[in-house]
């Protein structure tokens, strides 16, 4: 798969509307997780490149972009979204090759990116202030204004989707962005910059600086010219970014890890639940913050659910991204080693089922066998810690109270799901589950861009997606006018 048709040079940064070499001249190898080969060299951006990108963003805010109306911003976003749709196949191939996900999943990510741009393009001129009744002689109203320069540090698992929900919302509100993509998977972020440039986004409004998190990412989160940071990634790095940004008193949106449960009651429609129970755990090889890695099942249907999930797991096949199977490789050998470490901790557990790695998968690829454990104690490391691989655990429970205690019994709080035909129970569970999103008789609701997304506890704070993201990427100003 070639990256040239998209007209990008990954050894460069994208700053002020142009492709420029990193000031150090240094590059990093980008590895194909399907076979272990080097795809290309990417720019190793550092503090000086981040500074140049911030300066370019500030210039854009002082120029055409800062003067653009909300409607004009919306039209540009919609135009970029349309341009993305014109290159679905090429972008999907690029994402699949870079991340390792099957082509069908990568294609869904391209369509999601386009939908985010469509949504935020349409929403840009619909973020309203309000008038506030106040003292006699006063007219009081509120305005929503952009922060200014916003920093976006995105992970390697869903680059395009997270660009859409983060950068898309920030641009809709009139901010100018500096994007630091993950060094493991940055090609579609660079391609997006070129697509946006050709679609008419003014120079400096979006700047992309690849590089290491400890260098480019750290410089971005510490830069005094950045007025808001959006980060999606690990809990440990999120804490560091919040501490660093805190020195400049800069607000931070953190979307971190998860250990999300699906709770299956005796009265659930098991046939309807089964695809969600499995797919929500193995999508993108389990490398999803909102992956459903814990399945809580009431005793009355426990054996039935275990047997049904085990049968599905036995059919799962992992292989190269281009093979378009159920599961691709993990993003890197390092991530593979982390997941294998968790599997070693599960040696004392009941192995319910395993999938297979196809025989022609390259030995150098970062493949892990999809694995299902049953009868897992709620306090076991595999039931408490985020694995970020194609591994799920099934936990039995007796009644509603125990289900709630187990579901809420981790430090995370991102997503949860309840499967039951009892309407009253559905509402009780929706209130009781400690999570930013709760799904009833489904999981993910199709990933709708309209649905506010974010967590509690170690899953982070702030909200992305929907109108809530627009509020997060803006500053509320109150104007009080006294009439003499």
């Amino acid at each position: 798969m070639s990256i040239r048709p998209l007209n990008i040079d990954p050894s460069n940064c994208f700053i002020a509307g142009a492709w420029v070499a990193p000031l150090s001249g240094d590059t990093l190898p980008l590895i194909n997780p399907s076979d272990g080969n080097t795809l290309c060299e990417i720019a190793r951006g550092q503090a000086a490149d981040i500074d140049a990108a911030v300066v370019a963003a500030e210039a854009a805010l002082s120029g055409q972009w800062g003067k653009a109306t909300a409607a004009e911003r919306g039209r540009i976003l919609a135009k970029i979204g349309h341009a993305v749709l014109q290159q679905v196949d090429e972008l999907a191939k690029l994402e699949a090759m870079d991340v390792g996900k099957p082509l069908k999943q990568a294609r869904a990510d391209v369509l999601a990116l386009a939908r985010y741009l469509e949504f935020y393009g349409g929403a840009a001129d619909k973020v309203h202030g309000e008038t506030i009744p106040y003292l006699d002689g006063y007219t009081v109203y509120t305005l929503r204004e952009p922060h200014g320069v916003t920093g976006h540090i995105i992970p390697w698992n869903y680059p395009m989707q997270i660009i859409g929900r983060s950068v898309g919302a920030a641009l809709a509100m009139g901010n100018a962005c500096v994007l630091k993509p993950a060094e493991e998977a940055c090609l579609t972020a660079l391609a997006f910059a070129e697509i946006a440039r050709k679609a008419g986004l003014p120079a400096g409004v979006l700047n992309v600086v690849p590089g290491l998190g400890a260098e480019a990412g750290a410089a971005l989160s510490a830069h005094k010219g950045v007025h808001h940071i959006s980060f999606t990634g690990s809990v440990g790095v999120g804490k560091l970014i919040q501490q660093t940004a805190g020195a400049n008193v800069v607000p931070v949106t953190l979307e971190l890890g998860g250990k999300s449960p699906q709770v299956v009651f005796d009265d659930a429609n098991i046939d309807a639940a089964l695809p969600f129970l499995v797919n929500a755990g193995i999508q993108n090889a389990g490398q999803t913050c909102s992956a459903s890695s814990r399945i809580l099942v009431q005793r009355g249907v426990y054996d039935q659910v275990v047997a049904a999930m085990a049968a599905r797991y036995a059919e799962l096949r992992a292989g190269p991204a281009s093979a378009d199977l159920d599961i691709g490789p993990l993003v890197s050998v390092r991530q593979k080693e982390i997941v294998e470490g968790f599997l070693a901790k599960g040696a004392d557990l009941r192995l319910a089922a395993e999938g297979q790695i196809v025989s022609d998968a390259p030995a150098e690829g970062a493949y892990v066998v999809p694995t299902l454990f049953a009868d897992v104690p709620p306090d076991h490391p595999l039931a408490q810690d985020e694995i970020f691989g194609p591994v799920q655990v099934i936990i039995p429970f007796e009644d509603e109270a125990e289900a709630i205690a187990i579901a809420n019994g981790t430090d995370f709080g991102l997503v949860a799901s309840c499967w039951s035909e009892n309407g009253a129970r559905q509402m009780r569970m929706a209130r009781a589950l400690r999570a930013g999103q709760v799904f009833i008789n489904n999981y993910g609701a199709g990933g709708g861009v309209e649905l506010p997304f974010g967590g509690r506890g170690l899953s982070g704070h702030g909200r992305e997606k929907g109108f809530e993201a627009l509020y997060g990427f803006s500053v509320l100003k109150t104007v009080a006018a006294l009439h003499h």
Side-chain angles (χ1 to χ4, degrees):
M1 299 177 187
S2 171
I3 62 175
R4 289 299 176 187
L6 288 165
N7 196 31
I8 62 172
D9 183 349
S11 66
N12 284 341
C13 304
F14 184 81
I15 298 175
W19 294 99
V20 295
L23 293 172
S24 68
D26 293 341
T27 60
L28 298 164
L30 187 66
I31 305 301
N32 185 337
S34 289
D35 59 20
N37 292 327
T38 298
L39 284 170
C40 60
E41 295 289 321
I42 64 169
R44 184 175 180 173
Q46 300 189 44
D49 305 293
I50 290 292
D51 187 63
V54 172
V55 170
E58 290 171 337
L61 290 169
S62 298
Q64 177 186 354
W65 186 249
K67 297 179 178 64
T69 66
E72 289 168 341
R73 295 195 303 267
R75 290 190 193 106
I76 291 176
L77 285 174
K79 189 175 179 182
I80 299 170
H82 180 74
V84 167
L85 289 176
Q86 303 312 302
Q87 301 189 68
V88 172
D89 291 341
E90 195 60 37
L91 286 168
K93 290 176 183 177
L94 198 61
E95 190 87 322
M97 176 176 60
D98 201 7
V99 180
K101 61 181 63 181
L103 278 165
K104 55 179 171 286
Q105 293 180 19
R107 184 179 178 84
D109 289 355
V110 184
L111 298 177
L113 169 59
R115 175 68 184 119
Y116 276 113
L117 297 168
E118 178 183 59
F119 177 84
Y120 286 120
D125 61 353
K126 298 173 182 66
V127 181
H128 304 151
E130 62 180 3
T131 57
I132 301 174
Y134 193 53
L135 301 176
D136 184 45
Y138 280 88
T139 297
V140 180
Y141 60 94
T142 61
L143 301 171
R144 285 211 169 264
E145 299 179 338
H147 289 284
V149 179
T150 56
H152 304 256
I153 303 174
I154 67 170
W156 41 259
N157 55 345
Y158 290 94
M160 285 189 292
Q161 288 215 34
I162 297 172
I163 287 170
R165 75 190 195 200
S166 174
V167 172
L171 294 180
M173 287 307 306
N175 299 281
C177 303
V178 178
L179 171 64
K180 206 299 283 186
E183 59 268 27
E184 296 92 344
C186 63
L187 295 181
T188 51
L190 295 166
F192 177 75
E194 179 66 15
I195 290 171
R197 182 189 69 82
K198 290 181 176 178
L201 189 68
V205 177
L206 173 62
N207 307 274
V208 183
V209 180
L212 298 173
E215 296 174 352
L220 180 58
S221 62
H223 201 290
K224 293 184 182 299
V226 174
H227 307 295
H228 181 282
I229 295 287
S230 176
F231 172 75
T232 301
S234 71
V235 174
V237 176
K239 290 179 178 179
L240 290 174
I241 287 173
Q242 183 161 270
Q243 291 168 4
T244 302
N248 296 328
V249 198
V250 169
V252 179
T253 298
L254 297 178
E255 197 273 281
L256 307 177
K259 197 66 183 173
S260 300
Q262 294 196 64
V263 184
V264 184
F265 286 94
D266 286 349
D267 66 336
N269 182 334
I270 304 303
D271 290 338
L274 182 62
F276 292 91
L277 298 179
V278 176
N279 293 344
I282 65 166
Q283 179 177 309
N284 198 30
Q287 300 168 123
T288 304
C289 294
S290 57
S292 173
S293 53
R294 293 186 296 155
I295 309 298
L296 283 53
V297 185
Q298 198 166 17
R299 290 284 186 184
V301 292
Y302 184 77
D303 291 342
Q304 178 186 353
V305 171
V306 171
M309 289 188 66
R312 175 68 183 115
Y313 257 77
E315 298 172 347
L316 294 177
R317 298 292 180 269
S322 59
D324 209 15
L325 303 173
D326 302 297
I327 298 172
L330 300 184
V331 75
S332 65
V333 171
R334 177 176 176 271
Q335 184 63 24
K336 173 187 175 181
E337 291 170 349
I338 291 172
V339 175
E340 288 177 338
F342 276 107
L343 291 174
K345 294 179 182 179
D348 60 330
L349 297 176
R350 174 189 164 192
L351 179 62
E354 291 180 313
Q356 294 182 19
I357 300 171
V358 295
S359 59
D360 58 350
E364 297 78 13
Y367 301 100
V368 169
V369 174
T371 306
L372 179 68
F373 293 103
D375 306 343
V376 178
D379 60 351
H380 192 280
L382 268 68
Q384 287 288 316
D385 300 332
E386 186 176 44
I387 300 171
F388 233 55
V391 181
Q392 289 181 287
V393 301
I394 309 179
I395 304 169
F397 69 86
E398 293 291 344
D399 55 25
E400 194 172 308
E402 186 180 18
I404 293 169
I406 295 172
N408 292 343
T410 76
D411 293 328
F412 298 99
L414 192 54
V415 173
S417 174
C418 168
W419 292 89
S420 172
E421 297 300 301
N422 183 317
R425 173 185 285 148
Q426 293 171 0
M427 296 301 101
R428 289 194 300 269
M429 293 296 292
R431 287 183 174 273
L433 290 168
R434 188 171 63 89
Q437 287 186 328
V438 175
F439 301 105
I440 305 298
N441 290 337
N442 75 97
Y443 194 93
V449 307
E450 304 89 348
L451 312 181
F453 178 68
R456 301 172 60 172
L458 291 188
S459 292
H461 53 74
R463 292 296 179 265
E464 297 180 299
K465 304 174 63 171
F467 262 82
E468 287 295 328
L470 297 172
Y471 302 147
F473 279 112
S474 62
V475 179
L476 188 67
K477 176 185 284 184
T478 301
V479 178
L482 175 61
H483 309 293
H484 293 288

